[in-house]
Amino acid sequence: MQFASRLDNVETSAIRELFKLLGKPGIISFAGGFPDSAMFDVEGLKEASQKALTEEPGGALQYGATEGYEPLRSQLSSFMKTKGVDVDPSGLIVTTGSQQALDLLGKTMISPGDKVIVEGPTFLATIQCFRLYGAQLISAPIDANGVKTDELEKLIAEHKPKFVYLIPTFGNPSGAMLTLERRKKVLELAVKYQTLIVEDDPYGDLYFGEAPPPSILALSKDVPGSRELLAHCGSLSKVLSPGLRIGWMIAPPELLAKATMCKQFSDAHTSTFSQATAAQYLKSGRMPATLAHVREVYGQRAQAMGAALKRELGDAVSFTQPNGGLFFWARLTGANGKLADANELAKRAIEKLVAFVPGAPFFAEKPDVATLRLSFATADVAKIEEGVKRLGQAL
Amino acid sequence: MQFASRLDNVETSAIRELFKLLGKPGIISFAGGFPDSAMFDVEGLKEASQKALTEEPGGALQYGATEGYEPLRSQLSSFMKTKGVDVDPSGLIVTTGSQQALDLLGKTMISPGDKVIVEGPTFLATIQCFRLYGAQLISAPIDANGVKTDELEKLIAEHKPKFVYLIPTFGNPSGAMLTLERRKKVLELAVKYQTLIVEDDPYGDLYFGEAPPPSILALSKDVPGSRELLAHCGSLSKVLSPGLRIGWMIAPPELLAKATMCKQFSDAHTSTFSQATAAQYLKSGRMPATLAHVREVYGQRAQAMGAALKRELGDAVSFTQPNGGLFFWARLTGANGKLADANELAKRAIEKLVAFVPGAPFFAEKPDVATLRLSFATADVAKIEEGVKRLGQAL
């Protein structure tokens, strides 16, 4: 069978191979990129789904508009308002998880050979998704404060990309938080170079302690002409439930219309059953308590992992304590002759019954083999401490 | 903003414009392509969703495997067995409606410029979906017995297509049912020309009276070497609920693996909440009664529409009475100087407060402007009779 030529641009990820090993009995996994199932507000979602089927069975079970189910678009518009973004329900479309927003951006924007700038490192499925549409990816370097905007400017000027894709708040895998100053700089770059910026924001609600700076989208009101150059992707997956597959995209009208057309031929619309359930949930008023709960629990786990990493691995690893999200991004220093290759460490760690993801596959260019990603989301504090101890032994 | 070049291949459909007029008060619509909301087994789905959230909240709300939720794959495997198809749960993947199966086939198989043979007429969203991947579509003519296999053979020999896409059972828009003899011929053509056949089967369960012949997939066991050249798309949308967005694809392992990779970067997976609900529903044993109910009600409506068309439009229209599905496919004959242009009739019909869809957009090549599609699914018998009367007046 001869497959489409676009498949030549992607390979099955090395991480998939690693994940096959996670079934080993007794393993403590820091490898996942998902929230803890124990955090799901099952009772709230039960009530919401029953209400959806009782009050609006036609809407919840019938075909719906490609743009999204109106009551959910309204709720998401209100939700965005609490985060400083003024957007009409008609200014957003509902997507089947924010993964689909990425797919629609690729389908709508990327012609084969087009350049797209991403962070180095960035979300693995973004790299593969855009490459399937023929994108040539350029990596912009980051530090603990997110993408380095001076380097980003040079790359934009040199490559004139179709767009720039950023996860500015507690990025996957970096955990980094783009500073307020750099956010403003990104908006200035958008206007100066008339470049579309895609802000992917699945983790912004998941902060510990102080709230992060407003999203790039929220800040755009202070930078004339920037809003028309911004696409923003949101998601309920990390804070409420990934299984609902509810994401959304806010974008300029012309882009939103083209993405909607592409979505029509991708999956017609996102499950109205999921959409009506999410709408009822947001309407129920339970979301603030759910957010407070996940912030508290994940915050404790992040603290525990940071302390354990210092205690057990010392100067063999460097990292910045994340203020939100799901991930530690760390780098093996090779101090005292210790291992500095995360792939090798991953193999030894599996033998010690602890798992994490090596960082190299997250780079679209020039992989840094000393990096690794550790999720603190799915193991409790005791497991985190035991897991990091095993990691120290493996090292 | 400069969009991807692939968007040049599609235009927003003329039908969308028509649909904007359907909000007119008092209108009777035969235009929709959807089932009647009144047919949904709301109680059964309520129970199923509660069970899913009670018995398996982690599974129903967490990220899931891209291939699909295991309990649903098992249920679908059993469901296919009742239809004469022997397929392992691992031999199918769950898709976000069967629209996504089409999208994944496009993404996986079609390089720009590749030829694909479809029926003339065929499903509108298939035409647009495949064109977005750069397909050049070739139309194979049909009659009341489905695609003309002798013509199909000539086209396959001439064009060596990437695949042939058929809706053999109560097709949209044709309502036609491919005969047993022609089904076998299609399988022989697959083997003779080593051509992939895609069988889209959303309507096969929706028959009135006698069951249709087995699906092409079910028949493949009698034609050595044909099963490896078949992809089959199924859906719960027409018989249970479109809002769940549950479809599935059965295909040879290599194709299924590539489609799964593409799905991973399209939407990660189909809503596990919908999948777990569908699995519980199928497990509950309510499906046979639901099928019997929809077959009976739609059968009555199809009878009523056929009789009304004969009574009110006489020889000004020709059609074959469908034995299943949702649609009448009719042709204006122009007899006695009557109108033979379905676009013009659609405009006049809207003035008389009745709507249908002109047939021309359903042709990938050489549109027949005398054709039209009438859905009998969403109006009750009294409305069908009144609506067809108005159609006669418009004509």
Side-chain angles (χ1 to χ4, degrees):
Chain A
M1 213 171 277
Q2 203 199 329
F3 297 105
S5 52
R6 70 180 65 80
L7 300 197
D8 301 342
N9 304 330
V10 295
E11 68 274 353
T12 306
S13 109
I15 291 183
R16 274 178 89 92
E17 297 307 306
L18 173 73
F19 271 69
K20 287 180 186 159
L21 302 171
L22 296 187
K24 264 180 110 166
I27 213 158
I28 294 175
S29 176
F30 303 140
F34 44 87
D36 186 352
S37 297
M39 298 289 110
F40 300 150
D41 179 7
V42 180
E43 281 314 307
L45 286 164
K46 261 190 195 174
E47 274 173 33
S49 62
Q50 289 302 285
K51 253 195 162 151
L53 288 176
T54 304
E55 292 179 9
E56 41 189 344
L61 296 174
Q62 186 56 280
Y63 282 112
T66 301
E67 293 86 346
Y69 186 60
E70 278 310 321
L72 179 59
R73 293 172 91 192
S74 290
Q75 289 294 334
L76 292 174
S77 163
S78 305
F79 186 52
M80 290 307 297
K81 219 153 276 172
T82 67
K83 303 198 273 178
V85 173
D86 197 19
V87 61
D88 248 32
S90 65
L92 62 86
I93 62 172
V94 178
T95 57
T96 306
S98 59
Q99 181 67 44
Q100 191 188 44
L102 304 183
D103 185 58
L104 295 175
L105 281 164
K107 210 171 193 176
T108 306
M109 298 301 300
I110 301 171
S111 296
D114 278 353
K115 290 177 178 174
V116 172
I117 296 179
V118 300
E119 288 155 294
T122 190
F123 178 41
L124 192 58
T126 302
I127 295 175
Q128 308 277 42
C129 173
F130 292 167
R131 279 194 179 144
L132 266 175
Y133 290 106
Q136 184 191 335
L137 299 183
I138 314 290
S139 268
I142 66 161
D143 59 23
N145 294 321
V147 71
K148 295 177 176 176
T149 40
D150 49 346
E151 304 273 350
L152 179 61
E153 176 160 14
K154 279 182 217 156
L155 291 171
I156 293 174
E158 183 187 342
H159 295 288
K160 297 176 180 50
K162 208 62 180 280
F163 59 85
V164 175
Y165 170 84
L166 302 172
I167 315 174
T169 312
F170 317 130
N172 178 2
S174 73
M177 187 181 78
L178 195 67
T179 58
L180 179 61
E181 193 186 358
R182 287 189 183 176
R183 284 168 197 246
K184 288 178 179 165
K185 181 72 184 175
V186 168
L187 287 166
E188 286 160 19
L189 293 179
V191 176
K192 180 171 173 187
Y193 295 95
Q194 289 294 297
T195 298
L196 179 69
I197 306 288
V198 175
E199 177 180 44
D200 192 4
D201 190 27
Y203 306 103
D205 294 310
L206 213 54
Y207 56 82
F208 319 137
E210 207 181 331
S215 65
I216 292 178
L217 180 63
L219 292 168
S220 69
K221 57 175 174 286
D222 302 327
V223 182
S226 64
R227 176 79 181 245
E228 299 91 270
L229 294 162
L230 277 184
H232 175 101
C233 310
S235 171
L236 295 180
S237 293
K238 305 306 189 286
V239 291
L240 183 60
S241 153
L244 294 175
R245 306 309 299 127
I246 299 293
W248 59 96
M249 180 162 69
I250 298 165
E254 201 191 358
L255 172 52
L256 215 54
K258 298 285 187 191
T260 301
M261 185 191 72
C262 286
K263 180 171 167 62
Q264 194 186 347
F265 308 124
S266 290
D267 67 359
H269 61 86
T270 297
S271 166
T272 42
F273 182 46
S274 279
Q275 288 189 75
T277 298
Q280 288 286 356
Y281 189 86
L282 290 169
K283 196 177 151 198
S284 75
R286 294 174 75 115
M287 195 63 166
T290 298
L291 286 173
H293 179 56
V294 293
R295 284 168 189 157
E296 190 196 341
V297 174
Y298 292 138
Q300 289 163 356
R301 292 177 183 178
Q303 280 302 327
M305 184 173 272
L309 283 171
K310 276 191 188 139
R311 193 169 60 238
E312 305 290 343
L313 282 79
D315 60 358
V317 71
S318 70
F319 64 89
T320 303
Q321 179 77 26
N323 295 313
L326 303 175
F327 306 112
F328 272 78
W329 179 244
R331 196 164 187 287
L332 302 174
T333 61
N336 307 318
K338 290 262 172 65
L339 205 60
D341 179 332
N343 279 306
E344 185 54 34
L345 180 60
K347 283 178 209 158
R348 296 193 196 171
I350 289 277
E351 283 167 28
K352 296 280 179 194
L353 294 178
V354 61
F356 64 88
V357 178
F362 294 96
F363 292 85
E365 297 182 305
K366 304 176 222 99
D368 180 350
V369 296
T371 55
L372 58 153
R373 189 192 76 176
L374 299 157
S375 164
F376 50 83
T378 47
D380 62 24
V381 169
K383 284 238 170 70
I384 285 173
E385 288 176 347
E386 171 62 22
V388 175
K389 193 178 285 178
R390 293 179 190 174
L391 200 60
Q393 291 161 0
L395 192 66
Chain B
M1 212 171 274
Q2 205 199 329
F3 297 106
S5 52
R6 71 180 64 81
L7 301 197
D8 301 343
N9 304 331
V10 295
E11 67 275 354
T12 306
S13 106
I15 290 182
R16 273 178 90 91
E17 297 307 306
L18 173 74
F19 271 69
K20 288 181 186 161
L21 302 171
L22 296 187
K24 266 179 108 166
I27 213 157
I28 294 175
S29 176
F30 303 139
F34 44 87
D36 186 351
S37 297
M39 298 291 111
F40 300 151
D41 179 7
V42 180
E43 282 314 307
L45 286 164
K46 261 190 195 174
E47 274 173 35
S49 63
Q50 290 302 285
K51 252 195 162 150
L53 288 176
T54 303
E55 292 180 9
E56 41 190 343
L61 298 174
Q62 186 56 281
Y63 283 111
T66 301
E67 292 87 346
Y69 186 61
E70 277 311 320
L72 179 59
R73 293 172 90 190
S74 290
Q75 289 294 333
L76 291 174
S77 163
S78 305
F79 187 53
M80 291 307 298
K81 219 152 276 173
T82 67
K83 302 198 276 179
V85 174
D86 196 18
V87 62
D88 246 32
S90 66
L92 62 86
I93 62 171
V94 177
T95 58
T96 306
S98 59
Q99 181 67 45
Q100 191 188 43
L102 305 183
D103 186 57
L104 295 175
L105 282 164
K107 210 171 193 176
T108 305
M109 297 302 300
I110 302 172
S111 295
D114 278 353
K115 290 176 179 175
V116 173
I117 297 179
V118 298
E119 288 156 293
T122 190
F123 178 39
L124 191 57
T126 301
I127 296 176
Q128 309 277 41
C129 173
F130 291 168
R131 279 194 179 146
L132 266 174
Y133 290 105
Q136 185 192 335
L137 299 183
I138 315 289
S139 269
I142 66 161
D143 59 24
N145 294 321
V147 71
K148 296 176 175 175
T149 40
D150 49 347
E151 303 274 349
L152 179 62
E153 175 160 13
K154 281 183 214 154
L155 291 171
I156 293 174
E158 182 188 345
H159 294 288
K160 298 173 181 51
K162 208 63 182 280
F163 58 86
V164 176
Y165 170 85
L166 302 173
I167 316 175
T169 313
F170 318 129
N172 178 2
S174 72
M177 189 181 77
L178 195 67
T179 59
L180 179 61
E181 193 186 358
R182 287 190 183 176
R183 285 170 197 246
K184 288 179 180 166
K185 179 75 184 172
V186 167
L187 286 166
E188 286 161 18
L189 293 179
V191 176
K192 179 170 175 189
Y193 294 95
Q194 288 294 298
T195 298
L196 179 69
I197 306 288
V198 175
E199 176 179 47
D200 193 4
D201 190 27
Y203 306 103
D205 294 309
L206 214 54
Y207 56 81
F208 319 137
E210 208 182 330
S215 64
I216 292 178
L217 180 63
L219 292 168
S220 68
K221 57 176 172 283
D222 301 327
V223 183
S226 64
R227 176 78 181 246
E228 299 90 88
L229 294 161
L230 276 185
H232 176 101
C233 310
S235 172
L236 295 180
S237 292
K238 304 306 189 286
V239 290
L240 183 60
S241 151
L244 294 175
R245 308 307 299 125
I246 299 294
W248 60 95
M249 179 160 74
I250 297 165
E254 201 191 359
L255 172 52
L256 216 54
K258 298 284 187 193
T260 301
M261 186 192 70
C262 286
K263 179 169 167 65
Q264 195 186 347
F265 308 123
S266 289
D267 66 359
H269 61 85
T270 297
S271 166
T272 42
F273 182 47
S274 280
Q275 288 190 76
T277 298
Q280 288 286 355
Y281 189 86
L282 290 169
K283 196 177 150 197
S284 75
R286 294 175 76 116
M287 195 64 168
T290 298
L291 286 173
H293 180 56
V294 294
R295 284 169 187 156
E296 189 195 343
V297 174
Y298 292 140
Q300 288 164 356
R301 291 176 183 178
Q303 280 302 327
M305 183 172 271
L309 283 170
K310 277 190 188 139
R311 190 169 62 238
E312 306 289 344
L313 282 77
D315 60 358
V317 72
S318 70
F319 63 90
T320 303
Q321 180 77 26
N323 295 315
L326 304 175
F327 306 112
F328 273 78
W329 180 244
R331 196 164 186 288
L332 302 174
T333 60
N336 308 315
K338 289 262 172 65
L339 204 61
D341 179 332
N343 279 306
E344 184 56 33
L345 179 62
K347 285 178 206 157
R348 296 192 197 174
I350 289 278
E351 283 166 28
K352 296 279 180 197
L353 294 176
V354 61
F356 65 86
V357 178
F362 294 96
F363 292 86
E365 295 183 306
K366 306 178 220 97
D368 180 350
V369 296
T371 54
L372 58 154
R373 189 192 75 177
L374 300 156
S375 164
F376 50 82
T378 47
D380 61 25
V381 169
K383 283 239 171 69
I384 285 173
E385 289 175 347
E386 170 61 23
V388 175
K389 192 178 286 178
R390 291 179 191 174
L391 199 60
Q393 290 160 1
L395 193 65

